[in-house]
Amino acid sequence: MDLIIQDLCKAYHGQAVLQDFSYCFPEGKTTCIMGRSGCGKTTLLNLMGIVLAPDTGEILVDGQSTNHLNDSERCRIRNRYFGYIVQDFALIEEDTASQNILVPTLYSRQRKSNAEYKKKMRSLAEKLQVADKLKTTVKNLSGGERQRIAIIRSLICDQQIILADEPTGALDQENSLIVMEYLREAVSHERKAVVIVTHDLNVACRCDRVYQLTRGALSIHQPSEQ
């Protein structure tokens, strides 16, 4: 299932951030977007995930235009199709890691049992090496552990499109590699579309396509691994 953007424009305070932006983010591929701070990377990610509405242009999810959806319909589309890894984790400090991970399942329309979700949570936690932290209160986790818990939360409902804003920003190199290997496995085996915004060249080197966002347009970028 592809995510298609057509002739997208978005401006803030009269200044264009994205202008006539068109691109297809295909299933089965990991796309990396790089660019200087303030160039519009996070804005583009929020537009893709229909968190923000474009000024003009169209965003199609699974062939469906999202332009004229009401708030309830937009929430339904996000819940069904998107897993979102946010930069600031957005975890509930007083809850345990497992309680945070399972929050999206409360709103999921998938017909899965609690036991199935918990099995998937355990499997992901083992792969990302935080299985021993599931019962730990978030406020007692390190930044890297919080990052991995947030990633598991974004994957728990098996959405087909993963949007990731600096997904390895709080991780050391070893754990960054673990996360990227899992995301690539999801792309390869489950045909997910993964879009990553990052400054990390090591992450970029492990993506199928790497682009630089400059003045609202994408250009091919060929990073050298550090």
Side-chain angles (χ1 to χ4, degrees):
M1 186 197 69
D2 298 341
L3 173 65
I4 299 172
I5 294 176
Q6 295 178 340
D7 303 322
L8 197 72
C9 293
K10 184 68 176 179
Y12 281 117
H13 306 297
Q15 182 175 357
V17 179
L18 298 166
Q19 192 164 9
D20 298 324
F21 184 97
S22 297
Y23 193 73
C24 174
F25 297 91
E27 67 175 19
K29 297 289 182 182
T30 304
T31 302
C32 175
I33 299 174
M34 307 189 78
R36 62 175 178 78
S37 296
C39 73
K41 301 187 301 297
T42 298
T43 297
L44 175 57
L45 216 59
N46 285 329
L47 287 163
M48 288 181 202
I50 59 174
V51 175
L52 293 177
D55 296 332
T56 59
E58 191 169 33
I59 300 168
L60 294 96
V61 180
D62 198 21
Q64 177 183 354
S65 174
T66 61
N67 279 31
H68 305 293
L69 300 179
N70 60 36
D71 288 344
S72 176
E73 291 168 332
R74 292 165 76 88
C75 286
R76 178 181 56 80
I77 293 291
R78 284 197 297 269
N79 181 272
R80 179 176 178 184
Y81 292 107
F82 293 96
Y84 211 124
I85 304 172
V86 295
Q87 195 169 357
D88 63 357
F89 314 145
L91 299 172
I92 303 168
E93 291 283 312
E94 300 300 324
D95 284 354
T96 65
S98 63
Q99 287 172 322
N100 273 273
I101 289 168
L102 293 172
V103 166
T105 70
L106 302 176
Y107 306 97
S108 176
R109 294 177 180 269
Q110 297 184 46
R111 295 180 182 276
K112 288 186 178 182
S113 66
N114 288 338
E116 287 176 296
Y117 282 125
K118 288 179 179 178
K119 181 179 179 181
K120 182 174 180 63
M121 175 178 67
R122 172 65 60 173
S123 173
L124 289 170
E126 288 174 352
K127 287 179 180 179
L128 297 185
Q129 299 183 7
V130 285
D132 61 332
K133 303 298 181 181
L134 291 177
K135 295 182 179 179
T136 302
T137 304
V138 165
K139 66 182 179 182
N140 294 321
L141 297 176
S142 69
E145 290 163 349
R146 292 178 187 215
Q147 182 76 297
R148 282 173 282 169
I149 294 302
I151 289 169
I152 295 169
R153 181 189 56 192
S154 75
L155 300 169
I156 192 69
C157 289
D158 259 343
Q159 289 98 332
Q160 282 302 110
I161 303 171
I162 304 297
L163 303 179
D165 194 352
E166 295 286 1
T168 63
L171 303 179
D172 58 27
Q173 187 171 8
E174 180 182 355
N175 283 305
S176 294
L177 291 175
I178 291 171
V179 167
M180 285 306 300
E181 284 306 308
Y182 178 77
L183 290 176
R184 288 194 59 81
E185 179 183 316
V187 165
S188 176
H189 296 164
E190 303 171 38
R191 303 296 296 169
K192 294 184 186 295
V194 175
V195 183
I196 297 174
V197 162
T198 187
H199 289 95
D200 190 335
L201 291 175
N202 290 313
V203 169
C205 286
R206 286 165 176 80
C207 295
D208 299 305
R209 301 176 177 189
V210 183
Y211 295 94
Q212 187 84 16
L213 181 61
T214 307
R215 296 177 183 173
L218 291 182
S219 58
I220 294 175
H221 184 65
Q222 295 180 331
S224 298
E225 187 171 356
Q226 301 296 300

